[in-house]
Coordinates of all heavy atoms in Angstrom, one line a residue:
M5 N -31.6 120.5 71.8 CA -30.3 120.0 71.9 C -30.4 118.6 72.7 O -31.0 118.6 73.7 CB -29.4 120.9 72.7 CG -28.0 120.5 72.7 SD -26.9 121.8 73.1 CE -26.0 121.2 74.5
E6 N -29.8 117.6 72.2 CA -29.8 116.3 72.8 C -28.8 116.3 74.0 O -27.8 116.9 73.9 CB -29.4 115.3 71.8 CG -30.4 115.1 70.7 CD -29.9 114.0 69.7 OE1 -29.1 113.2 70.0 OE2 -30.5 114.0 68.6
I7 N -29.2 115.5 74.9 CA -28.3 115.3 76.1 C -27.0 114.7 75.7 O -25.9 115.2 76.2 CB -29.0 114.4 77.2 CG1 -30.3 115.1 77.7 CG2 -28.0 114.2 78.4 CD1 -30.2 116.3 78.4
S8 N -27.0 113.7 74.8 CA -25.7 113.1 74.4 C -24.8 114.1 73.7 O -23.6 114.0 73.9 CB -26.0 111.9 73.5 OG -26.7 112.3 72.3
S9 N -25.4 115.0 72.9 CA -24.5 116.0 72.3 C -23.9 116.9 73.3 O -22.8 117.4 73.1 CB -25.2 116.7 71.2 OG -26.3 117.5 71.7
A10 N -24.7 117.2 74.4 CA -24.1 118.1 75.4 C -23.0 117.5 76.1 O -21.9 118.1 76.4 CB -25.2 118.5 76.4
F11 N -23.1 116.2 76.4 CA -22.0 115.4 77.0 C -20.8 115.4 76.1 O -19.7 115.6 76.5 CB -22.5 114.0 77.3 CG -23.2 113.8 78.6 CD1 -24.5 113.4 78.6 CD2 -22.6 114.0 79.8 CE1 -25.2 113.2 79.8 CE2 -23.3 113.8 81.0 CZ -24.6 113.4 81.0
S12 N -21.1 115.1 74.8 CA -20.0 114.9 73.8 C -19.3 116.3 73.7 O -18.1 116.3 73.6 CB -20.6 114.5 72.5 OG -19.6 114.3 71.5
S13 N -20.1 117.3 73.5 CA -19.4 118.7 73.3 C -18.6 119.0 74.6 O -17.5 119.6 74.4 CB -20.5 119.7 73.1 OG -21.2 119.5 71.9
G14 N -19.1 118.8 75.7 CA -18.4 119.1 77.0 C -17.1 118.3 77.1 O -16.1 118.8 77.5
L15 N -17.2 117.0 76.8 CA -16.0 116.2 76.8 C -15.0 116.6 75.8 O -13.8 116.6 76.1 CB -16.4 114.7 76.7 CG -17.1 114.1 77.9 CD1 -17.6 112.7 77.5 CD2 -16.3 114.2 79.1
Q16 N -15.4 116.9 74.6 CA -14.5 117.3 73.5 C -13.8 118.6 73.9 O -12.6 118.8 73.7 CB -15.2 117.5 72.2 CG -15.6 116.1 71.6 CD -16.4 116.3 70.3 OE1 -16.8 117.4 69.9 NE2 -16.7 115.2 69.7
G17 N -14.6 119.6 74.5 CA -14.1 120.8 74.9 C -13.1 120.7 76.0 O -12.0 121.3 76.1
Y18 N -13.4 119.7 76.9 CA -12.4 119.5 78.0 C -11.1 118.9 77.5 O -10.0 119.2 78.0 CB -13.1 118.5 79.1 CG -12.2 118.2 80.2 CD1 -12.1 119.2 81.3 CD2 -11.4 117.1 80.3 CE1 -11.2 118.9 82.3 CE2 -10.5 116.9 81.3 CZ -10.4 117.8 82.4 OH -9.6 117.6 83.4
Q19 N -11.2 118.0 76.5 CA -10.0 117.4 75.9 C -9.2 118.5 75.2 O -8.0 118.5 75.4 CB -10.4 116.3 74.9 CG -9.2 115.6 74.3 CD -8.3 114.9 75.3 OE1 -8.8 114.2 76.2 NE2 -7.0 115.1 75.3
R20 N -9.8 119.4 74.5 CA -9.1 120.5 73.9 C -8.4 121.4 74.9 O -7.2 121.8 74.8 CB -10.0 121.4 73.0 CG -10.4 120.7 71.7 CD -11.1 121.7 70.8 NE -12.3 122.3 71.4 CZ -13.5 121.7 71.3 NH1 -13.7 120.6 70.6 NH2 -14.6 122.3 71.8
A21 N -9.1 121.6 76.0 CA -8.5 122.4 77.1 C -7.3 121.7 77.7 O -6.3 122.3 78.0 CB -9.5 122.7 78.2
S22 N -7.4 120.4 77.9 CA -6.4 119.6 78.4 C -5.1 119.6 77.5 O -4.0 119.7 78.0 CB -6.8 118.1 78.6 OG -5.8 117.3 79.1
D23 N -5.4 119.6 76.2 CA -4.3 119.7 75.2 C -3.6 121.0 75.3 O -2.4 121.1 75.2 CB -4.8 119.4 73.8 CG -5.3 118.0 73.6 OD1 -4.9 117.1 74.4 OD2 -6.0 117.8 72.6
R24 N -4.4 122.1 75.5 CA -3.8 123.4 75.6 C -3.0 123.6 76.9 O -1.9 124.2 76.9 CB -4.9 124.5 75.6 CG -5.5 124.7 74.3 CD -6.5 125.9 74.3 NE -5.9 127.1 74.6 CZ -6.6 128.2 75.1 NH1 -7.9 128.1 75.2 NH2 -5.9 129.3 75.3
V25 N -3.4 122.9 78.0 CA -2.7 123.0 79.2 C -1.3 122.3 79.0 O -0.3 122.8 79.4 CB -3.5 122.3 80.4 CG1 -2.6 122.0 81.6 CG2 -4.6 123.2 80.8
T26 N -1.4 121.1 78.4 CA -0.1 120.4 78.1 C 0.8 121.2 77.3 O 2.0 121.3 77.6 CB -0.5 119.0 77.4 OG1 -1.3 118.3 78.3 CG2 0.8 118.3 77.1
E27 N 0.3 121.8 76.2 CA 1.1 122.6 75.3 C 1.7 123.8 76.0 O 2.9 124.1 75.9 CB 0.3 123.1 74.1 CG 1.1 123.9 73.1 CD 0.2 124.4 72.0 OE1 -0.9 123.8 71.7 OE2 0.6 125.3 71.3
A28 N 0.9 124.5 76.8 CA 1.4 125.7 77.6 C 2.5 125.3 78.6 O 3.5 125.9 78.8 CB 0.3 126.4 78.3
T29 N 2.3 124.1 79.2 CA 3.2 123.6 80.2 C 4.6 123.3 79.6 O 5.6 123.6 80.1 CB 2.7 122.4 81.0 OG1 1.4 122.8 81.6 CG2 3.6 121.9 82.0
I30 N 4.5 122.6 78.4 CA 5.7 122.3 77.7 C 6.5 123.6 77.3 O 7.7 123.7 77.5 CB 5.4 121.4 76.5 CG1 5.0 120.0 76.9 CG2 6.6 121.4 75.5 CD1 4.4 119.2 75.8
N31 N 5.7 124.6 76.8 CA 6.4 125.8 76.4 C 7.0 126.5 77.6 O 8.2 127.0 77.5 CB 5.3 126.8 75.8 CG 4.9 126.3 74.4 OD1 5.6 125.5 73.7 ND2 3.7 126.8 74.0
I32 N 6.4 126.5 78.7 CA 6.9 127.2 79.9 C 8.2 126.4 80.4 O 9.2 127.0 80.7 CB 5.9 127.2 81.1 CG1 4.8 128.2 80.7 CG2 6.6 127.6 82.4 CD1 3.6 128.1 81.6
N33 N 8.2 125.1 80.3 CA 9.3 124.3 80.7 C 10.5 124.5 79.8 O 11.7 124.7 80.2 CB 9.0 122.8 80.8 CG 8.1 122.5 82.0 OD1 8.2 123.2 83.0 ND2 7.4 121.4 81.9
Q34 N 10.2 124.6 78.5 CA 11.3 124.8 77.5 C 11.9 126.2 77.7 O 13.1 126.4 77.7 CB 10.8 124.7 76.1 CG 10.4 123.3 75.7 CD 9.8 123.2 74.3 OE1 9.3 124.2 73.8 NE2 9.8 122.0 73.8
Q35 N 11.1 127.2 77.9 CA 11.6 128.6 78.1 C 12.4 128.7 79.4 O 13.5 129.3 79.5 CB 10.5 129.6 78.1 CG 9.8 129.8 76.8 CD 10.8 130.3 75.7 OE1 11.6 131.2 76.0 NE2 10.6 129.9 74.5
T36 N 11.9 128.0 80.4 CA 12.6 128.0 81.7 C 14.0 127.3 81.6 O 15.0 127.8 82.1 CB 11.8 127.4 82.8 OG1 10.5 128.1 82.9 CG2 12.5 127.4 84.2
A37 N 14.0 126.2 80.9 CA 15.3 125.5 80.7 C 16.2 126.3 79.9 O 17.4 126.3 80.2 CB 15.0 124.1 80.1
A38 N 15.8 126.9 78.9 CA 16.6 127.7 78.0 C 17.2 128.9 78.8 O 18.4 129.3 78.7 CB 15.9 128.2 76.8
S39 N 16.4 129.5 79.7 CA 16.8 130.6 80.5 C 17.9 130.2 81.5 O 18.9 130.9 81.6 CB 15.7 131.2 81.2 OG 16.1 132.2 82.1
R40 N 17.7 129.0 82.1 CA 18.7 128.5 83.0 C 20.0 128.2 82.3 O 21.1 128.4 82.8 CB 18.2 127.3 83.7 CG 17.2 127.6 84.8 CD 16.7 126.4 85.5 NE 15.7 126.7 86.4 CZ 14.8 125.9 86.9 NH1 14.9 124.6 86.6 NH2 13.9 126.3 87.8
N41 N 19.9 127.6 81.1 CA 21.1 127.3 80.3 C 21.9 128.6 80.0 O 23.1 128.6 80.1 CB 20.8 126.5 79.1 CG 20.3 125.1 79.4 OD1 20.6 124.6 80.4 ND2 19.6 124.5 78.4
Q42 N 21.2 129.6 79.6 CA 21.9 130.9 79.3 C 22.6 131.4 80.6 O 23.7 131.9 80.5 CB 20.9 131.9 78.8 CG 20.5 131.8 77.4 CD 19.6 132.9 76.9 OE1 19.0 133.6 77.7 NE2 19.5 133.0 75.6
Q43 N 22.0 131.3 81.7 CA 22.6 131.8 82.9 C 23.8 131.0 83.3 O 24.8 131.6 83.8 CB 21.5 131.8 84.1 CG 20.4 132.8 83.9 CD 19.3 132.7 85.0 OE1 19.4 131.7 85.8 NE2 18.3 133.5 84.9
Q44 N 23.8 129.7 83.1 CA 24.9 128.9 83.4 C 26.1 129.1 82.5 O 27.2 129.1 82.9 CB 24.5 127.4 83.4 CG 23.6 127.0 84.5 CD 23.1 125.6 84.4 OE1 23.3 124.9 83.4 NE2 22.4 125.1 85.5
L45 N 25.8 129.4 81.2 CA 26.9 129.7 80.3 C 27.5 131.0 80.5 O 28.7 131.2 80.2 CB 26.3 129.6 78.8 CG 25.8 128.3 78.3 CD1 25.2 128.4 77.0 CD2 26.9 127.3 78.3
E46 N 26.8 131.9 81.1 CA 27.3 133.3 81.3 C 27.9 133.9 80.1 O 28.9 134.7 80.2 CB 28.3 133.3 82.5 CG 27.7 132.8 83.8 CD 28.7 132.9 84.9 OE1 29.8 133.4 84.8 OE2 28.4 132.3 86.0
T47 N 27.4 133.6 79.0 CA 27.8 134.3 77.7 C 26.6 135.1 77.2 O 25.5 134.6 77.2 CB 28.3 133.3 76.7 OG1 27.2 132.3 76.4 CG2 29.5 132.5 77.1
P48 N 26.9 136.2 76.7 CA 25.8 137.0 76.1 C 25.3 136.4 74.8 O 26.0 136.4 73.8 CB 26.5 138.4 75.9 CG 27.9 138.2 75.8 CD 28.2 136.9 76.6
T49 N 24.1 135.9 74.9 CA 23.4 135.4 73.7 C 22.1 136.1 73.7 O 21.8 136.9 74.5 CB 23.2 133.9 73.8 OG1 22.5 133.6 75.0 CG2 24.6 133.2 73.9
E50 N 21.3 135.7 72.7 CA 20.0 136.3 72.6 C 19.2 136.0 73.9 O 19.2 134.8 74.3 CB 19.2 135.8 71.4 CG 19.6 136.5 70.1 CD 18.7 136.1 69.0 OE1 17.5 135.8 69.2 OE2 19.2 136.0 67.9
P51 N 18.5 137.0 74.5 CA 17.8 136.7 75.7 C 16.5 135.8 75.4 O 16.0 135.9 74.3 CB 17.4 138.1 76.2 CG 17.4 139.0 75.0 CD 18.5 138.4 74.1
V52 N 16.2 135.0 76.3 CA 15.0 134.2 76.2 C 13.8 135.2 76.2 O 13.7 136.1 77.0 CB 14.8 133.2 77.3 CG1 13.5 132.4 77.3 CG2 16.0 132.3 77.3
S53 N 12.9 135.0 75.3 CA 11.7 135.9 75.2 C 10.8 135.7 76.4 O 10.2 134.7 76.7 CB 10.9 135.5 74.0 OG 9.8 136.3 73.9
A54 N 10.7 136.8 77.2 CA 9.8 136.8 78.4 C 8.3 136.8 77.9 O 7.5 136.3 78.6 CB 10.1 138.0 79.3
V55 N 8.1 137.3 76.8 CA 6.7 137.4 76.2 C 6.2 136.0 76.0 O 5.1 135.7 76.3 CB 6.7 138.2 74.9 CG1 5.3 138.2 74.3 CG2 7.1 139.6 75.2
S56 N 7.1 135.1 75.6 CA 6.7 133.7 75.3 C 6.3 133.0 76.6 O 5.3 132.3 76.6 CB 7.8 133.0 74.6 OG 7.4 131.7 74.3
V57 N 7.0 133.2 77.6 CA 6.7 132.6 78.9 C 5.4 133.3 79.4 O 4.5 132.6 79.9 CB 7.8 132.8 80.0 CG1 7.3 132.4 81.3 CG2 9.0 132.1 79.5
E58 N 5.3 134.6 79.3 CA 4.0 135.2 79.8 C 2.8 134.8 79.0 O 1.8 134.5 79.6 CB 4.2 136.8 79.7 CG 5.2 137.3 80.7 CD 5.5 138.8 80.4 OE1 5.1 139.3 79.4 OE2 6.3 139.3 81.2
Q59 N 3.0 134.7 77.7 CA 1.9 134.2 76.8 C 1.5 132.8 77.2 O 0.3 132.5 77.2 CB 2.3 134.4 75.3 CG 1.1 134.0 74.4 CD -0.1 134.9 74.6 OE1 0.0 136.1 74.7 NE2 -1.3 134.3 74.7
S60 N 2.5 132.0 77.5 CA 2.2 130.6 77.9 C 1.4 130.5 79.2 O 0.5 129.7 79.3 CB 3.5 129.8 78.0 OG 4.1 129.7 76.7
L61 N 1.8 131.4 80.1 CA 1.0 131.5 81.4 C -0.4 132.0 81.1 O -1.3 131.4 81.8 CB 1.7 132.4 82.4 CG 3.1 131.9 82.9 CD1 3.8 132.9 83.7 CD2 2.8 130.7 83.8
V62 N -0.6 132.9 80.2 CA -2.0 133.4 79.9 C -2.7 132.2 79.3 O -3.9 132.0 79.6 CB -1.9 134.6 79.0 CG1 -3.3 134.9 78.4 CG2 -1.4 135.8 79.7
D63 N -2.1 131.5 78.3 CA -2.7 130.4 77.7 C -3.1 129.3 78.7 O -4.2 128.7 78.6 CB -1.8 129.8 76.6 CG -1.6 130.7 75.4 OD1 -2.4 131.6 75.2 OD2 -0.7 130.4 74.6
L64 N -2.2 129.1 79.7 CA -2.5 128.1 80.7 C -3.7 128.5 81.5 O -4.6 127.6 81.8 CB -1.3 128.0 81.6 CG -1.3 126.9 82.7 CD1 -1.4 125.5 82.1 CD2 0.0 127.0 83.5
T65 N -3.8 129.7 81.9 CA -5.0 130.2 82.6 C -6.3 130.1 81.8 O -7.3 129.7 82.3 CB -4.8 131.7 83.1 OG1 -3.5 131.7 83.9 CG2 -5.9 132.2 83.9
E66 N -6.2 130.5 80.5 CA -7.3 130.4 79.7 C -7.8 129.0 79.5 O -9.0 128.7 79.5 CB -7.1 131.0 78.3 CG -7.0 132.5 78.3 CD -6.6 133.1 77.0 OE1 -6.3 132.3 76.0 OE2 -6.6 134.3 76.8
A67 N -6.8 128.1 79.3 CA -7.2 126.6 79.2 C -7.8 126.1 80.5 O -8.8 125.3 80.4 CB -5.9 125.8 78.9
Q68 N -7.4 126.6 81.6 CA -8.0 126.1 82.9 C -9.5 126.6 82.9 O -10.4 125.9 83.3 CB -7.2 126.7 84.1 CG -7.9 126.3 85.4 CD -7.1 127.0 86.6 OE1 -6.2 127.6 86.4 NE2 -7.7 126.7 87.8
D69 N -9.7 127.9 82.5 CA -11.1 128.4 82.5 C -11.9 127.6 81.5 O -13.1 127.3 81.8 CB -11.1 129.9 82.1 CG -10.4 130.7 83.2 OD1 -10.3 130.3 84.4 OD2 -10.1 131.9 82.9
Q70 N -11.3 127.3 80.4 CA -12.1 126.5 79.3 C -12.4 125.2 79.9 O -13.6 124.7 79.7 CB -11.2 126.4 78.1 CG -11.8 125.6 77.0 CD -10.9 125.5 75.8 OE1 -9.7 125.8 75.8 NE2 -11.4 124.9 74.7
A71 N -11.5 124.5 80.6 CA -11.8 123.2 81.1 C -12.9 123.2 82.2 O -13.8 122.4 82.2 CB -10.5 122.6 81.7
E72 N -12.8 124.3 83.0 CA -13.9 124.4 84.0 C -15.2 124.6 83.4 O -16.3 124.1 83.9 CB -13.5 125.5 85.0 CG -12.3 125.2 85.9 CD -11.9 126.4 86.7 OE1 -12.5 127.5 86.6 OE2 -10.9 126.2 87.5
A73 N -15.3 125.5 82.4 CA -16.6 125.7 81.7 C -17.1 124.5 81.1 O -18.3 124.2 81.1 CB -16.4 126.8 80.6
N74 N -16.3 123.7 80.4 CA -16.7 122.5 79.8 C -17.2 121.4 80.8 O -18.1 120.7 80.6 CB -15.7 121.9 78.9 CG -15.6 122.6 77.6 OD1 -16.5 122.5 76.8 ND2 -14.6 123.4 77.4
L75 N -16.5 121.4 82.0 CA -16.9 120.5 83.0 C -18.3 120.9 83.6 O -19.2 120.0 83.9 CB -15.9 120.4 84.2 CG -14.7 119.6 83.9 CD1 -13.7 119.8 85.0 CD2 -15.0 118.2 83.6
K76 N -18.6 122.2 83.7 CA -19.9 122.6 84.1 C -21.0 122.2 83.1 O -22.1 121.9 83.5 CB -19.9 124.1 84.3 CG -19.1 124.5 85.6 CD -19.2 126.0 85.9 CE -18.4 126.3 87.1 NZ -18.4 127.7 87.5
S77 N -20.6 122.3 81.8 CA -21.6 121.9 80.8 C -21.9 120.4 80.9 O -23.1 119.9 80.8 CB -21.2 122.2 79.4 OG -20.2 121.4 79.0
V78 N -20.9 119.6 81.2 CA -21.1 118.1 81.4 C -22.0 117.9 82.7 O -22.9 117.1 82.7 CB -19.8 117.4 81.5 CG1 -20.0 115.9 81.9 CG2 -19.1 117.4 80.1
Q79 N -21.7 118.6 83.7 CA -22.5 118.5 85.0 C -23.9 118.9 84.8 O -24.8 118.2 85.3 CB -21.8 119.4 86.1 CG -20.5 118.8 86.6 CD -19.9 119.8 87.6 OE1 -20.1 121.0 87.6 NE2 -18.9 119.3 88.4
T80 N -24.1 120.0 84.0 CA -25.5 120.4 83.7 C -26.2 119.4 82.9 O -27.4 119.0 83.2 CB -25.5 121.7 83.0 OG1 -24.8 122.7 83.8 CG2 -26.9 122.2 82.7
A81 N -25.6 118.8 81.9 CA -26.2 117.7 81.1 C -26.6 116.5 82.0 O -27.6 115.9 81.8 CB -25.3 117.3 79.9
D82 N -25.7 116.2 82.9 CA -25.9 115.1 83.8 C -27.1 115.4 84.7 O -28.0 114.5 84.9 CB -24.7 114.9 84.7 CG -24.8 113.7 85.7 OD1 -25.3 112.6 85.2 OD2 -24.5 114.0 86.9
E83 N -27.2 116.6 85.2 CA -28.3 117.0 86.1 C -29.7 117.0 85.3 O -30.7 116.5 85.8 CB -28.1 118.4 86.7 CG -27.0 118.4 87.7 CD -26.7 119.8 88.1 OE1 -27.3 120.8 87.7 OE2 -25.7 120.0 88.9
V84 N -29.6 117.4 84.0 CA -30.8 117.4 83.2 C -31.3 116.0 82.9 O -32.4 115.7 83.0 CB -30.6 118.2 81.9 CG1 -31.7 118.0 80.9 CG2 -30.4 119.7 82.2
L85 N -30.3 115.2 82.6 CA -30.6 113.8 82.4 C -31.2 113.1 83.6 O -32.2 112.4 83.5 CB -29.4 113.0 81.9 CG -29.6 111.5 81.6 CD1 -30.6 111.3 80.5 CD2 -28.2 110.9 81.2
G86 N -30.7 113.4 84.8 CA -31.2 112.9 86.0 C -32.6 113.4 86.3 O -33.5 112.6 86.7
S87 N -32.9 114.6 85.9 CA -34.2 115.2 86.1 C -35.2 114.5 85.1 O -36.3 114.2 85.5 CB -34.2 116.7 85.8 OG -33.5 117.3 86.8
I88 N -34.8 114.3 83.9 CA -35.6 113.6 82.9 C -36.0 112.2 83.4 O -37.1 111.8 83.3 CB -35.0 113.6 81.5 CG1 -34.9 115.1 81.0 CG2 -35.7 112.7 80.6 CD1 -34.1 115.2 79.7
I89 N -35.0 111.5 83.9 CA -35.2 110.1 84.3 C -36.2 110.2 85.5 O -37.1 109.3 85.6 CB -33.9 109.5 84.7 CG1 -33.1 109.2 83.4 CG2 -34.1 108.2 85.5 CD1 -31.7 108.7 83.7
D90 N -36.0 111.1 86.5 CA -36.9 111.2 87.6 C -38.3 111.5 87.2 O -39.3 111.0 87.7 CB -36.4 112.3 88.6 CG -35.1 111.9 89.3 OD1 -34.8 110.7 89.3 OD2 -34.5 112.8 89.9
I91 N -38.5 112.4 86.2 CA -39.8 112.7 85.7 C -40.5 111.5 85.0 O -41.7 111.3 85.2 CB -39.7 113.9 84.7 CG1 -39.3 115.2 85.5 CG2 -41.1 114.1 84.0 CD1 -39.0 116.4 84.6
R92 N -39.8 110.8 84.3 CA -40.3 109.7 83.5 C -40.6 108.4 84.4 O -41.4 107.6 84.0 CB -39.5 109.3 82.3 CG -39.5 110.4 81.3 CD -38.8 110.0 80.0 NE -38.9 111.1 79.1 CZ -38.4 111.0 77.8 NH1 -37.9 109.9 77.4 NH2 -38.5 112.1 77.0
V93 N -39.9 108.3 85.5 CA -40.1 107.1 86.3 C -41.2 107.3 87.2 O -42.2 107.2 87.3 CB -38.8 106.9 87.2 CG1 -39.0 105.8 88.2 CG2 -37.6 106.5 86.3

């Protein structure tokens, strides 16, 4: 495996994780706002799905773990590259 592909894969994975964090955060904010609006209206309407908020929180946690794993792969590729440079110099 090439060092550049390890960097590239790690960065792409981190970007995907960042996108998932953004999406989960937006979903949580939308559900929270909808819940507050329902409470202010004090009219019986369909309840806001708690599962959606819970699922968004799970997605947020998974995205954080994914980002951390990808950052570790970038750090490892950096360390390997540093070792290779030290060996060749």
Side-chain angles (χ1 to χ4, degrees):
M5 183 163 128
E6 295 179 18
I7 300 292
S8 63
S9 67
F11 278 114
S12 179
S13 295
L15 291 175
Q16 288 174 357
Y18 182 79
Q19 183 61 46
R20 285 190 301 270
S22 177
D23 292 343
R24 286 184 64 198
V25 166
T26 301
E27 182 180 341
T29 303
I30 289 169
N31 289 340
I32 291 168
N33 287 336
Q34 288 174 344
Q35 292 296 324
T36 302
S39 176
R40 285 184 183 160
N41 288 340
Q42 280 184 342
Q43 290 173 356
Q44 288 175 352
L45 293 175
E46 296 181 13
T47 57
T49 58
E50 282 189 33
V52 175
S53 174
V55 176
S56 182
V57 172
E58 291 170 356
Q59 184 60 46
S60 293
L61 289 170
V62 169
D63 290 343
L64 185 61
T65 303
E66 288 176 353
Q68 178 183 359
D69 292 343
Q70 180 184 8
E72 289 173 0
N74 282 291
L75 284 176
K76 286 183 182 182
S77 71
V78 170
Q79 288 172 339
T80 301
D82 180 51
E83 290 170 7
V84 169
L85 180 61
S87 297
I88 291 171
I89 289 172
D90 289 343
I91 290 170
R92 291 190 182 184
V93 171

